[in-house]
Amino acid sequence: MEALQVPLRAVGRAALAAMFVTGGADALLDPGPRAPRAAELGVPLEPELAVRLNGAIMLAGGVALALGLCPRLAAGALAGSLVPTTLAGHPYWRLADPAARRQQRIHFFKNVGLFGGALLALAERPARRR
């Protein structure tokens, strides 16, 4: 099993990073739909800039994690970026429509799972050199 650890970690990091890379690029290039939600959170920056900045963090962190470049730092940045993204983007508890509420709850807990994966990557110790 020890021989599989390095490739499994690499594939796991790339799989975890995929959502951050795609979502980060989308937020960076097209922040418009997300800006009103950022404004609702009362971010200290102009909402569109805050969305772009969060997208840039997700994109850069996702690429770094996927490539294994400072993976713990990347995972920490990604975990941090998920907090405002999840709260602003998927407040299912505010929705009255059952279908919309169910859909947003799925996305909310998807992000909770991504947060957990990022925390696992953050806690991972670097492989020992032999």
Side-chain angles (χ1 to χ4, degrees):
M1 185 63 171
E2 210 171 297
L4 290 176
Q5 285 183 346
V6 171
L8 285 175
R9 285 183 176 136
V11 170
R13 283 192 314 266
L16 177 60
M19 189 64 161
F20 292 104
V21 171
T22 58
D26 192 40
L28 184 61
L29 298 173
D30 186 21
R34 296 166 188 84
R37 289 186 177 156
E40 288 175 13
L41 278 181
V43 295
L45 301 171
E46 190 273 320
E48 190 169 305
L49 176 61
V51 171
R52 285 185 192 272
L53 181 59
N54 193 47
I57 291 167
M58 292 172 99
L59 178 60
V63 169
L65 184 65
L67 297 176
L69 304 171
C70 301
R72 294 177 76 193
L73 176 62
L78 293 171
S81 76
L82 273 169
V83 174
T85 299
T86 303
L87 293 175
H90 309 295
Y92 70 92
W93 54 91
R94 293 185 187 165
L95 302 174
D97 176 55
R101 185 181 182 98
R102 187 171 34 259
Q103 189 66 26
Q104 288 306 310
R105 189 177 61 230
I106 289 168
H107 289 295
F108 180 90
F109 284 106
K110 170 209 36 131
N111 281 12
V112 170
L114 289 170
F115 183 75
L119 291 180
L120 286 171
L122 177 62
E124 174 130 319
R125 300 208 184 272
R128 289 187 287 172
R129 299 199 186 262
R130 294 180 182 219

